[in-house]
Amino acid sequence: MQTDFPPSRAEGLQRLRDFVPHAGKDYAARRNHDEPGHANVSRLSPYLRHRIVTEDEVVQAVLGRFAPSTAEKFVQEVFWRTYFKGWLEMRPSVWTAYTAGLARAQDRLATESGLRKGWEQACSGATGIAPFDHWARELVETGYLHNHARMWFASIWTFTLGLPWELGADFFLRHLLDGDPASNTLGWRWVVGLHTPGKVYVARASNITKYTGGRFGAVHGLATDPAPAEGPANPPRGAPPVSEPWERTARTGLVLTEDDLSPGWLLDDGLAPVTTAVATGVPHRSPLAVAPQVHAFTREAVADARARYGARLGQPGPETGLAPGETMAAQAEALVAWARMHRLEQVVAPYPPVGPSADAFAGIRRALEAEGVRVATPIRPFDQRAWPHATHGFFRFKDRIPSLLGAIRGLRAA
């Protein structure tokens, strides 16, 4: 196992400093190129996914050097993640439908030998399609893929190899250090023609050759005119989630998840936990084993967060969701015991977005509330401002970016 992503805030900030000078025209010109080492892109996604470094900080750093128009492409990439999260928050049944589809696809693996063989070849990089096989091995070895490679990979997986898209989304979520339930699920749905109904992304040999510098040689046999994947229509949009306020005088415990490892926004607002626990959704990303490097990255990122905030987090509490195979029930039991031991009146957790963290935290909430402990899940102001605008496609959301930037930087919206 190897990784080029040390899980610390110091490393994330150094990458940001190194990238900022290239976030304008350099990024716009080279962002679609899948180059060895990926020096042409920021490689900040694992740090943003866990909010070791936050979106606000990245945008502020880039716009401290470039005008919004010059850094437009990179700023939009940061907001794609936000858009997908907001879209899924208002349509959580899409995540439920994905997990149900994944269960059906895995049942098929148990009974259809041809499908299982194709899936195993795809996961191990043994399909005979040189770029696809390279990306499968790169993902397993490093926990990372260039964004353009992810699109090509998903298209080939579904349309050329004929594999269920849910199995591919699961393969990504088990291995990606930046594996985000919203970006991953909706990205795959976009490629296969479900997110934007009927519109598919086709991996073309000429495009792969152009943007990989031809290093894989001639690419043959890719599907050229695939039909969209079958699936239910997008559900009606619901209301965005509501931020739950916390009581300032209650005896409080803080719970960190892998979705927000920079709780300074709460601590600076006066939250003073007597103790801090951890409850991640990493073991629940998949019915299959999540890659060891994903577990390791999360464990070390949690340790880095504890070290950074130190005494401001109060006494160390249990760390759940960091071990392979840990159940949601075991997490809930551990946090109830923790709340009893510290006589907690209230537990506060940064809002866990739709996905494994939210699934796990739902059981934790029920168990704590059954003990008479109040639970509050405040939403970051960045998300509160942005998520309600994820109503349709990204291009409508994009129109709101200038006003969102104004809120971040105190800029006058153009």
Side-chain angles (χ1 to χ4, degrees), residues 186-205:
L186 301 184
W188 275 81
R189 292 179 84 256
W190 180 82
V191 166
V192 305
L194 294 175
H195 186 71
T196 304
K199 182 179 179 180
V200 302
Y201 176 80
V202 182
R204 302 194 184 280

Side-chain angles (χ1 to χ4, degrees), residues 89 95 181 241-246 252-260 266 271 275-285 318 320-321 326-336 338-339 344 346-370 373-379:
E89 285 299 322
W95 170 254
V242 176
S243 183
E244 298 174 334
W246 42 276
T252 300
L254 174 64
V255 173
L256 297 180
T257 75
E258 75 268 29
D259 299 285
D260 194 335
L266 290 170
L271 187 71
T275 177
T276 295
V278 174
T280 85
V282 175
H284 320 308
R285 288 190 183 190
T320 71
E326 191 169 3
T327 67
M328 292 184 188
Q331 287 184 267
E333 290 172 5
L335 266 67
V336 166
W338 163 70
L344 299 181
Q346 172 180 250
V347 166
V348 175
Y351 180 85
V354 171
S357 288
D359 293 346
F361 197 79
I364 292 169
R365 174 190 284 272
R366 288 192 296 271
L368 288 171
E369 290 179 341
V373 179
R374 183 178 184 272
V375 178
T377 54
I379 302 175

Side-chain angles (χ1 to χ4, degrees), residues 3-68:
T3 182
D4 190 35
F5 297 91
S8 71
R9 178 167 167 82
E11 176 66 22
L13 290 176
Q14 185 60 53
R15 288 181 183 228
L16 177 58
R17 286 190 291 268
D18 292 344
F19 175 72
V20 162
H22 307 286
K25 293 181 179 179
D26 290 350
Y27 177 80
R30 301 297 299 174
R31 67 190 181 94
N32 285 330
H33 292 257
D34 178 31
E35 301 176 356
H38 309 300
N40 57 314
V41 294
S42 73
R43 296 178 300 152
L44 284 168
S45 56
Y47 304 93
L48 282 168
R49 186 265 179 270
H50 297 87
R51 281 183 162 156
I52 299 168
V53 177
T54 69
E55 296 90 339
D56 307 61
E57 291 174 311
V58 171
V59 170
Q60 286 177 353
V62 169
L63 297 186
R65 184 178 180 106
F66 296 107

Side-chain angles (χ1 to χ4, degrees), residues 131-149:
F132 181 94
D133 291 346
H134 168 84
W135 295 321
R137 293 191 295 268
E138 180 183 7
L139 173 59
V140 171
E141 291 169 4
T142 70
Y144 180 80
L145 281 183
H146 185 281
N147 184 60
H148 208 166

Side-chain angles (χ1 to χ4, degrees), residues 148-355:
H148 208 166
R150 299 183 197 202
M151 295 160 58
W152 290 320
F153 188 100
S155 183
I156 295 170
W157 177 286
T158 306
F159 300 130
T160 299
L161 300 177
L163 299 171
W165 71 267
E166 294 95 339
L167 292 176
D170 174 70
F171 179 56
F172 271 17
L173 204 54
R174 285 187 285 121
H175 290 281
L176 283 169
L177 300 179
D178 62 17
D180 176 82
S183 294
N184 188 62
T185 305
L186 301 184
W188 275 81
R189 292 179 84 256
W190 180 82
V191 166
V192 305
L194 294 175
H195 186 71
T196 304
K199 182 179 179 180
V200 302
Y201 176 80
V202 182
R204 302 194 184 280
S206 59
N207 188 265
I208 293 173
T209 299
K210 175 181 178 180
Y211 288 105
T212 61
R215 71 182 188 273
F216 298 111
V219 181
H220 300 290
L222 303 187
T224 57
D225 188 27
E230 295 183 359
N234 289 331
R237 182 177 78 251
V242 176
S243 183
E244 298 174 334
W246 42 276
E247 296 181 0
R248 294 180 177 270
T249 59
R251 185 173 175 84
T252 300
L254 174 64
V255 173
L256 297 180
T257 75
E258 75 268 29
D259 299 285
D260 194 335
L261 293 176
S262 291
W265 63 285
L266 290 170
L267 303 177
D268 292 344
D269 193 37
L271 187 71
V274 298
T275 177
T276 295
V278 174
T280 85
V282 175
H284 320 308
R285 288 190 183 190
S286 170
L288 301 177
V290 176
Q293 62 191 358
V294 173
H295 283 285
F297 184 96
T298 310
R299 283 196 304 272
E300 293 174 31
V302 166
D304 178 74
R306 283 200 183 275
R308 282 189 282 123
Y309 289 98
R312 298 183 74 188
L313 298 179
Q315 297 181 39
E319 296 187 349
T320 71
L322 296 179
E326 191 169 3
T327 67
M328 292 184 188
Q331 287 184 267
E333 290 172 5
L335 266 67
V336 166
W338 163 70
R340 288 173 181 162
M341 181 175 69
H342 291 280
R343 306 185 310 282
L344 299 181
E345 300 168 324
Q346 172 180 250
V347 166
V348 175
Y351 180 85
V354 171

